[in-house]
Amino acid sequence: MDCEALKEAVISGKFREIQALVRAALDRGASAQDILDNALVPAMEEVGRRFSASEIFLPEMMVSAKMMQMALDVLKPILSSGHVKTRGKFAIGTIKDDLHDIGKDIVISMMQGAGFEVEDLGVDCPPERFIEAIERGNRIIGISAILTTVLPNIGKAIKAIEEKGLRDKVKILIGGVATSFHIAKETGADSYCKDAVEGVLKTKEFSVLYEDN
Amino acid sequence: MLIVAERINSSRKRIANAISERDASFIQTEALVQAKAGSDYIDVNAGSFRDEAECLKWLVDVVQDVTDIPLCLDSANPDALSRVIPVVKKPPMINSINLKPSRLEPILPLVVDYKAKVIALCESESIMAATTDAKIDIAAGLVEKVTARGIPLDDLYIDPLIFPLATNSRSALASLEAIERIRKEFPGVHTICGLTNVSHGLPNRKLVNRTFLITALARGLDSAILDPSDKELYSALKAALIILGQDEYCLEYIHAYREGRLG
């Protein structure tokens, strides 16, 4: 019952009430993991579905992602670190010579909402920054590009990852208005994501590959 | 109030197709519609093409064949700009520079040599300024670099950058405050912006764009990159100018009405 109410609160964007609702559910005996698995994560999945279906608008999705963070702030001290199940590690950055951060930040919010551990590599990322992220254990990498003029830099970054012998250790997703299926093919990325919701879905698919690591 | 007409932009699919197919009449119709609606400059952009310089030069030739309205050369690429600017018949506007030396240094001499006006974005090597203070810091740097070359402040149009409200409910407020402060702190400098970013991700985007324009005008914005053939937008703009005391005896408003340009 509590989980249903919480799920509904996240979906409908009642951000002023979320933390009190989470505390109330805990007081009534729900476990933190239960709240996460049966209320928050399914709520974000539903929000993503509605956004993809154009049933809700971007700010409505953003507020739900924000609420997920607010709920986690309450839950994290309770979830002993040994018991927190994260889905895997994901790192994302905007490609070299491009300073746009809004799309990247939307992806970060949605990935965190979906339970991934996310590393923000920032904007204007040279190839080395992606390489270092892979060396730190990130197995799925997102590259964002808004300017068409920076597209060659995506190919260069992926080439540099190959030359380091790391290409088969990661899946590389690209997104942002400058990108497309065609650009993914041309640059050697594994996949193109048309928006943050698709980014989350594809990351979930790819993360299955690394579940045992 | 200075209007830069925005429609001939290769990020729009139909324009990109017309450029690829060298469909001159499509581009010329776009130019004439905007000229008739009320444009001070017509923006031309071929930024999504690999052979940008060649495509941009073609756009310039095609548009100049049908109108005398000066052009706004829209490119981040100094090389493309330097190759195209010699064929421009009237002193153009350049869209745009920022504080990045690799863009600023090669473009400023073109502004001087061709007596151009220039749009300068509140961007540096490392940031696109999102807060009011960051915007003002970069604006100060731009003013310094531009005046050091002897370019009159009257030729400088600072774009404070407009970010979507959908991801930050106070983003427009930061831009509005920057417009007001730029006007106060750097007297003589113009401010300019595009309107479409602000409404990204929201329903009824045109309503938000138009309301943003009016709010920005009230804070001192004196030029904009927009579609003058959007009747609702253009009407709201003309009405705002009489309210803000920028249309003496309301003559331009009445003139636009007689020409059927007010919705």
Side-chain angles (χ1 to χ4, degrees):
Chain A
M1 194 57 209
D2 275 336
C3 280
E4 271 311 304
L6 264 176
K7 190 177 156 190
E8 191 44 43
V10 173
I11 292 171
S12 57
K14 293 182 180 143
F15 66 95
R16 288 190 183 85
E17 295 160 32
I18 184 68
Q19 291 193 326
L21 286 170
V22 170
R23 285 193 195 98
L26 289 168
D27 286 346
R28 278 195 292 271
S31 79
Q33 193 70 51
D34 188 37
I35 291 173
L36 191 62
D37 292 343
N38 297 315
L40 302 179
V41 170
M44 285 311 292
E45 283 170 357
E46 175 61 13
V47 166
R49 187 198 66 73
R50 291 187 189 184
F51 181 75
S52 296
S54 303
E55 290 169 19
I56 60 170
F57 293 96
L58 181 56
E60 296 178 292
M61 182 170 86
M62 295 304 292
V63 77
S64 294
K66 173 76 185 162
M67 288 168 73
M68 181 81 183
Q69 291 305 308
M70 294 164 81
L72 282 174
D73 286 345
V74 178
L75 295 179
K76 265 187 189 151
I78 304 163
L79 291 158
S80 62
S81 57
H83 290 99
V84 187
K85 282 191 285 179
T86 58
R87 268 206 155 101
K89 286 176 77 179
F90 171 80
I92 182 170
T94 305
I95 195 70
K96 187 171 160 33
D97 294 334
D98 195 333
L99 301 175
H100 289 85
D101 60 2
I102 291 174
K104 167 184 72 65
D105 291 345
I106 295 173
V107 173
I108 290 173
S109 296
M110 291 302 290
M111 287 289 182
Q112 288 170 334
F116 286 94
E117 199 180 314
V118 183
E119 199 179 325
D120 181 359
L121 304 177
V123 297
D124 192 19
C125 292
E128 306 79 63
R129 219 181 289 167
F130 293 107
I131 288 170
E132 288 158 12
I134 299 164
E135 288 171 344
R136 280 192 298 273
N138 288 287
R139 288 294 164 261
I140 300 166
I141 297 284
I143 302 180
S144 171
I146 305 304
L147 304 172
T148 48
T149 48
V150 303
L151 290 175
N153 295 342
I154 297 181
K156 283 180 199 160
I158 295 176
K159 195 109 202 288
I161 292 167
E162 271 169 26
E163 281 164 6
K164 272 269 172 185
L166 296 169
R167 185 65 186 88
D168 59 351
K169 284 196 161 50
V170 282
K171 293 293 177 187
I172 299 172
L173 307 177
I174 62 168
V177 286
T179 64
S180 62
F181 285 111
H182 179 72
I183 299 293
K185 198 176 158 208
E186 212 171 69
T187 55
D190 291 292
S191 198
Y192 156 73
C193 307
K194 74 172 166 60
D195 59 23
V197 175
E198 201 172 82
V200 170
L201 291 175
K202 291 199 170 155
T203 304
K204 280 181 187 169
E205 283 172 24
F206 283 133
S207 65
V208 172
L209 298 173
Y210 303 111
E211 256 172 10
D212 297 334
N213 296 355
Chain B
M1 181 70 197
L2 182 141
I3 295 175
V4 179
E6 71 184 2
R7 282 172 45 166
I8 305 178
N9 191 307
S10 62
S11 66
R12 294 177 62 209
K13 210 169 185 173
R14 281 193 292 177
I15 298 292
N17 287 343
I19 295 172
S20 315
E21 290 159 18
R22 295 293 190 264
D23 182 350
S25 75
F26 185 89
I27 298 294
Q28 288 172 335
T29 305
E30 287 285 295
L32 288 171
V33 165
Q34 297 184 103
K36 188 161 175 270
S39 311
D40 297 296
Y41 285 82
I42 294 179
D43 192 271
V44 281
N45 170 300
S48 60
F49 286 86
R50 282 194 191 162
D51 51 346
E52 184 186 356
E54 204 177 305
C55 293
L56 189 61
K57 187 175 169 302
W58 178 78
L59 282 177
V60 166
D61 287 338
V62 160
V63 174
Q64 285 188 146
D65 275 350
V66 291
T67 175
D68 292 333
I69 293 176
L71 300 178
C72 177
L73 302 177
D74 184 352
S75 172
N77 176 351
D79 180 54
L81 286 169
S82 66
R83 283 163 62 191
V84 172
I85 204 166
V87 305
V88 173
K89 289 178 187 162
K90 288 194 168 173
M93 182 175 242
I94 291 177
N95 181 12
S96 54
I97 57 168
N98 56 19
L99 258 191
K100 247 182 149 166
S102 61
R103 189 149 150 199
L104 186 82
E105 299 302 337
I107 295 178
L108 284 184
L110 300 175
V111 176
V112 174
D113 293 348
Y114 290 88
K115 297 189 171 27
K117 293 183 184 297
V118 65
I119 296 175
L121 311 176
C122 287
E123 290 175 359
S124 68
E125 191 84 72
S126 54
I127 66 160
M128 299 172 78
T131 65
T132 305
D133 286 342
K135 290 173 198 287
I136 298 300
D137 277 353
I138 295 178
L142 290 164
V143 166
E144 190 191 317
K145 293 281 183 193
V146 166
T147 49
R149 297 277 184 152
I151 297 164
L153 280 185
D154 188 43
D155 287 338
L156 177 60
Y157 289 73
I158 294 183
D159 183 334
L161 301 187
I162 314 298
F163 294 113
L165 285 165
T167 52
N168 174 0
S169 333
R170 303 183 74 79
S171 65
L173 212 50
S175 303
L176 293 172
E177 281 165 8
I179 288 166
E180 193 166 305
R181 280 183 55 188
I182 289 168
R183 216 168 102 98
K184 273 197 196 128
E185 295 176 28
F186 315 107
V189 170
H190 301 280
T191 47
I192 191 165
C193 64
L195 307 175
T196 51
N197 266 3
V198 74
S199 61
H200 176 82
L202 292 173
N204 203 346
R205 294 187 63 176
K206 284 187 164 186
L207 171 64
V208 180
N209 298 347
R210 163 165 101 231
T211 308
F212 175 73
L213 172 65
I214 305 313
T215 320
L217 290 170
R219 300 292 280 264
L221 185 80
D222 66 0
S223 40
I225 305 167
L226 51 78
D227 176 5
S229 66
D230 174 341
K231 232 178 183 182
E232 284 178 309
L233 176 66
Y234 192 81
S235 308
L237 167 64
K238 286 291 169 187
L241 292 177
I242 59 174
I243 291 164
L244 294 168
Q246 293 178 34
D247 178 359
E248 275 193 273
Y249 299 100
C250 308
L251 292 182
E252 289 191 30
Y253 178 82
I254 294 167
H255 180 68
Y257 169 76
R258 290 228 170 86
E259 288 197 331
R261 287 191 279 146
L262 301 186

